[in-house]
Amino acid sequence: MAVRNKHTGNIRTTVSHERRVFLKAGVAMAAAPFIAGMASTVLPSKAQAAKNNTPCKKILIISASPRENSNSDAICDEFMRGAQASGHHVEKIRLSEKDINYCTGCLACIHDPGSCVQQDDMAEIHKKMLAADVMVLATPVYFHVMNGQMKVFIDRVCPIYSMIRDKDVYFAVSCAGGDSHNWKAPLKA
């Protein structure tokens, strides 16, 4: 039974937010074994690699979540755990901890592939991407698409996109929904 007074909206919002946080944490915990298992299933184990005479893989995980310990980070960490348990070398990069400018569309990289006029952390990331055998790109969903950090990152891959070959690429997406009333904000003039 709902009590109708001026505080009901505030209480409902607080309860809704706490329920969402609880559900997101529960989904992340429930998915953890699946994500770790996925990494160990899609990537050959150390024993399988030795049997097939193939080296362990270098895996680069790119997390675009601006929040530490987010759902996207949980997915990345579990994938990393499964891959490391299978004997692979894994590195995780959090884009929020890097200095990455947006692409200016100057086209310098088209005329000189592999180079970019901007002096930021993408040059280091480009080298790691080219050295990796497997890339995992993880992003939260904002307004039904990848977040801005991932979009800026993808735009900045332009200088090396033609050099990226023979790699497995996985795209990990995390999202959570809320009550529909959260989207019905009143318009103010």
Side-chain angles (χ1 to χ4, degrees):
M1 179 173 152
V3 177
R4 298 192 181 269
N5 62 33
K6 64 182 182 180
H7 300 292
T8 303
N10 291 341
I11 293 169
R12 183 173 292 146
T13 302
T14 302
V15 170
S16 177
H17 174 73
E18 289 173 2
R19 188 180 85 216
R20 247 181 307 170
V21 170
F22 174 76
L23 289 173
K24 285 170 66 174
V27 168
M29 288 188 308
F34 172 75
I35 300 296
M38 182 183 86
S40 61
T41 301
V42 297
L43 301 169
S45 69
K46 202 174 203 176
Q48 290 169 327
K51 181 180 170 185
N52 297 335
N53 200 22
T54 58
C56 292
K57 296 191 178 211
K58 292 180 188 172
I59 301 169
L60 181 64
I61 299 175
I62 306 289
S63 176
S65 180
R67 295 182 304 113
E68 252 184 289
N69 302 317
S70 65
N71 290 339
S72 296
D73 271 352
I75 290 171
C76 292
D77 293 344
E78 289 304 316
F79 191 95
M80 183 185 315
R81 186 171 64 86
Q84 287 173 331
S86 295
H88 301 286
H89 303 287
V90 185
E91 180 178 359
K92 178 177 139 184
I93 296 174
R94 289 184 35 77
L95 296 180
S96 64
E97 297 171 356
K98 299 294 183 181
D99 176 31
I100 300 174
N101 300 318
Y102 60 88
C103 179
T104 61
C106 69
L107 302 179
C109 61
I110 301 299
H111 302 294
D112 186 13
S115 68
C116 182
V117 298
Q118 299 200 54
Q119 301 298 313
D120 60 10
D121 291 336
M122 275 305 288
E124 171 194 348
I125 296 172
H126 284 164
K127 289 176 188 170
K128 291 179 180 187
M129 290 175 70
L130 292 173
D133 300 307
V134 177
M135 290 188 296
V136 178
L137 307 178
T139 181
V141 173
Y142 291 176
F143 295 100
H144 307 287
V145 295
M146 70 184 84
N147 72 351
Q149 289 87 341
M150 182 57 75
K151 176 63 172 115
V152 167
F153 168 78
I154 289 172
D155 288 348
R156 290 294 306 284
V157 172
C158 187
I160 63 164
Y161 82 93
S162 64
M163 301 172 193
I164 298 174
R165 293 186 180 91
D166 303 321
K167 297 182 188 307
D168 294 332
V169 179
Y170 299 94
F171 205 76
V173 179
S174 65
C175 63
D179 296 337
S180 61
H181 68 79
N182 291 336
W183 291 96
K184 296 178 184 174
L187 297 175
K188 293 183 181 180

